[in-house]
């Protein structure tokens, strides 16, 4: 989603700026080409989740609270309010024998989706933003974890 992308880009920008101290919101907004009010909402959520810190004053702004290698994809997703599980319709939850299309087609058992969601969460927790950045900068197309491509986790 756009929110996820904006949150990751904000984290990446703070990482690029880390040796220069706090980054002012106005400067980050300009560099990321997003409105300052929108970025403020994203940064508030990231700060409340403990992913970034704010510094007040004339030299204030935002800093990473921890290295990107310690911030998982799942951390960012849950912070911005993205569900970290697959979609399942209300109808399918009420009656697992009825397909989500309502045409009586065969449907996967509900525990399959529970297992899928558990595997998805395990993967999203295991992949850090820093790891993805390293893979991209080093030109690696796949992760050390099962050969998944960086592009395959685009959300």
């Amino acid at each position: 989603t756009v929110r996820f992308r904006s949150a990751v880009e904000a984290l990446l920008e703070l990482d690029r700026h880390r040796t220069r101290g706090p980054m002012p919101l106005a400067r980050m907004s300009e560099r990321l080409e997003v409105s300052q009010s929108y970025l403020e909402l994203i940064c508030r959520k990231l700060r409340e989740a403990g992913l970034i810190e704010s510094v007040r004053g004339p030299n204030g702004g935002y800093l990473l609270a921890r290295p990107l290698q310690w911030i998982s994809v799942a951390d960012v997703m849950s912070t911005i309010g993205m569900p970290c599980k697959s979609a399942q319709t209300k109808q399918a939850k009420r009656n697992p024998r009825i397909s989500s299309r309502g045409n009586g087609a065969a449907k996967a058992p509900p525990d399959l989706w529970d297992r899928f969601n558990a595997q998805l969460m395990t993967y999203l927790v295991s992949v850090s933003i820093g790891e993805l950045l390293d893979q991209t900068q080093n030109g690696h197309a796949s992760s050390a974890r099962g050969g998944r491509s960086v592009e395959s986790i685009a959300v």
Side-chain angles (χ1 to χ4, degrees):
T1 67
V2 173
R3 272 188 302 169
F4 176 79
R5 196 176 278 247
S6 297
V8 170
E9 287 176 353
L11 292 170
L12 294 174
E13 193 61 33
L14 292 175
D15 184 62
R16 281 186 214 106
H17 196 269
R18 73 179 174 268
T19 60
R20 289 173 257 159
M23 181 172 214
L25 188 67
R27 177 140 190 248
M28 190 183 335
S29 170
E30 183 181 297
R31 290 189 44 87
L32 297 178
E33 299 177 347
V34 297
S35 76
Q36 193 168 333
S37 59
Y38 177 71
L39 191 57
E40 189 172 15
L41 294 172
I42 297 289
C43 287
R44 183 181 323 130
K45 288 182 180 219
L46 294 171
R47 184 182 49 77
E48 290 170 354
L51 302 179
I52 65 174
E53 297 173 345
S54 62
V55 177
R56 292 181 180 256
N59 295 321
Y62 290 97
L63 300 162
L64 286 175
R66 56 188 189 227
L68 290 179
Q69 285 73 15
W70 296 355
I71 299 174
S72 73
V73 172
D75 290 336
V76 179
M77 289 177 70
S78 63
T79 296
I80 62 161
M82 275 182 74
C84 295
K85 57 174 135 178
S86 65
Q88 197 175 6
T89 66
K90 289 180 183 179
Q91 179 185 15
K93 287 179 182 177
R94 283 193 303 262
N95 187 348
R97 286 184 258 149
I98 298 175
S99 98
S100 60
R101 294 184 194 124
N103 62 5
K107 180 158 184 73
D111 63 327
L112 178 120
W113 295 115
D114 293 339
R115 290 180 185 167
F116 175 81
N117 289 331
Q119 289 294 315
L120 179 61
M121 275 308 295
T122 298
Y123 178 69
L124 293 175
V125 167
S126 75
V127 178
S128 75
I129 301 299
E131 178 184 359
L132 294 178
L133 179 61
D134 290 346
Q135 291 171 7
T136 303
Q137 289 175 340
N138 294 328
H140 293 100
S142 65
S143 158
R145 293 181 178 88
R148 293 175 178 90
S149 69
V150 173
E151 295 80 17
S152 71
I153 70 149
V155 183

